[in-house]
Amino acid sequence: MQHTETLKEVLQFYADAGVDMALDETPHNRLAAPKEIAEPAAAPAGRTHGHSAPADQIQPSVAAKPAPAFTPPAPDTKTHDAHLEEARQLAASATSLDELIALLKNYDGCGLKRTATNTVFEDGNREARIMLVGEAPERDEDLQGMPFAGRSGQLLDKILQAIGLDRSSVYMGNILPWRPPGNRTPTNAEMELCKPFIIRQIELAKPELLVFLGTSCAKNLLDTTDGILKLRGKWRSYSKAEIPVLPTLHPKNLLRQPAQKRLVWRDFLNLRKAAIEKGILPTISE
Ligand code: URA
């Protein structure tokens, strides 16, 4: 009983520290004594038999089988620039969203893919005229392979519902398709390597209105250093395709700071107004 409690505490400690996934299918006891191949035992001093046991009488020790040799992954000899060029060429060559996903799944230039469970590419309706772009998958998204599958997504669903939208009337993607381990902040290099794919995803989806959720999404896709509190709430043009884009706070910020919901509510009312003007949403009669 006491052991169970201790184990729970250890697991909780790992979870709190962000270690919430296993990188291998079987656990390894890294503290165990090294396993050795059984050798014919030398006769202990003082014995008079004068010979070791015949090979067929040697009892193999429990650990007689050598552990499979660890094969390190082949070193990545390509430079960052070479990986980036590959990402750009692959993304540009995609003529459909299906092709883009296939190319992305085969692209090995970004190290985040190695620790992720799934490539998290899209959710919602590809034909939708509104597209929302988020940041990076977290645990639930990584496990389910779908953007906004977790708590942030549940809150986002409620916000969408409040203005008459849902996942069948919007399309969703992320600037990063792979979860950074333990939800750490992605590096600039990782974001740069994934950027050609989200740019192409937007081009191929051809939305009429875009919403960028969160600081890193807005900064990265709008090529600005301004923070989200400065960017939010004002329509601007997404220069790659001249699409009106509304940056706003990410729902995960609202889970931490519920007081900011009023800002996001204002932004989504703004989105609703633009959607009505474009005939995407019907005018609500008073
Ligand atoms: N946060 C994001 O930005 N995207 C997701 O898919 C999940 C959480």
Side-chain angles (χ1 to χ4, degrees), residues 120 133-138 141 146-150 152-153 173-174 213 250 252:
V120 179
V133 184
E135 296 183 336
E138 296 186 355
E141 290 77 19
M146 182 179 106
F148 291 104
S152 297
N174 273 327
L213 297 164
H250 194 284
K252 77 179 171 211

Side-chain angles (χ1 to χ4, degrees), residues 206-217:
K206 298 194 194 71
E208 290 171 46
L209 295 173
L210 272 166
V211 179
F212 289 166
L213 297 164
T215 311
S216 66
C217 171

Side-chain angles (χ1 to χ4, degrees), residues 98-283:
D98 283 338
E99 265 182 44
L100 187 63
I101 304 178
L103 291 165
L104 181 61
K105 286 185 174 170
N106 277 323
Y107 172 65
D108 291 325
C110 176
L112 291 176
K113 184 179 175 187
R114 272 173 240 137
T115 48
T117 314
N118 278 302
T119 299
V120 179
F121 183 73
E122 63 181 346
D123 194 33
N125 178 355
R126 287 180 176 182
E127 306 300 319
R129 295 161 68 189
I130 300 176
M131 179 171 179
L132 309 181
V133 184
E135 296 183 336
E138 296 186 355
R139 184 171 180 274
D140 293 311
E141 290 77 19
D142 179 53
L143 294 176
Q144 296 181 41
M146 182 179 106
F148 291 104
R151 283 182 70 217
S152 297
Q154 286 158 16
L155 180 54
L156 185 59
D157 285 338
K158 285 188 188 152
I159 300 171
L160 289 173
Q161 201 186 9
I163 60 160
L165 295 169
D166 60 21
R167 290 200 191 211
S168 68
S169 49
V170 299
Y171 181 57
M172 290 176 176
N174 273 327
I175 55 165
L176 288 181
W178 298 293
R179 179 193 185 196
N183 303 337
R184 69 158 167 75
T185 308
T187 63
N188 288 341
E190 288 161 348
M191 290 209 276
E192 197 178 20
L193 292 169
C194 297
K195 193 168 170 180
F197 294 99
I198 181 64
I199 290 177
R200 189 73 185 131
Q201 190 177 354
I202 296 172
E203 277 169 4
L204 290 167
K206 298 194 194 71
E208 290 171 46
L209 295 173
L210 272 166
V211 179
F212 289 166
L213 297 164
T215 311
S216 66
C217 171
K219 277 183 165 179
N220 195 15
L221 290 176
L222 292 170
D223 292 317
T224 171
T225 52
D226 288 344
I228 194 66
L229 288 175
K230 185 153 180 213
L231 294 171
R232 66 149 280 276
K234 293 177 213 97
W235 286 98
R236 34 185 87 222
S237 180
Y238 171 61
S239 58
K240 305 273 183 307
E242 301 300 325
I243 303 169
V245 54
L246 186 66
T248 190
L249 294 158
H250 194 284
K252 77 179 171 211
N253 297 126
L254 308 184
L255 292 171
R256 280 187 228 125
Q257 288 171 281
Q260 291 188 323
K261 282 186 185 167
R262 67 190 169 84
L263 301 178
V264 173
W265 178 235
R266 245 185 259 160
D267 296 346
F268 274 79
L269 286 178
N270 201 337
L271 173 67
R272 189 181 77 148
K273 185 164 167 273
I276 291 172
E277 279 165 12
K278 284 196 172 281
I280 299 173
L281 278 175
T283 317

Side-chain angles (χ1 to χ4, degrees), residues 82-103:
H83 282 306
L84 182 56
E85 188 48 35
E86 189 194 357
R88 286 187 179 138
Q89 285 184 12
L90 287 175
S93 71
T95 58
S96 68
L97 289 165
D98 283 338
E99 265 182 44
L100 187 63
I101 304 178
L103 291 165

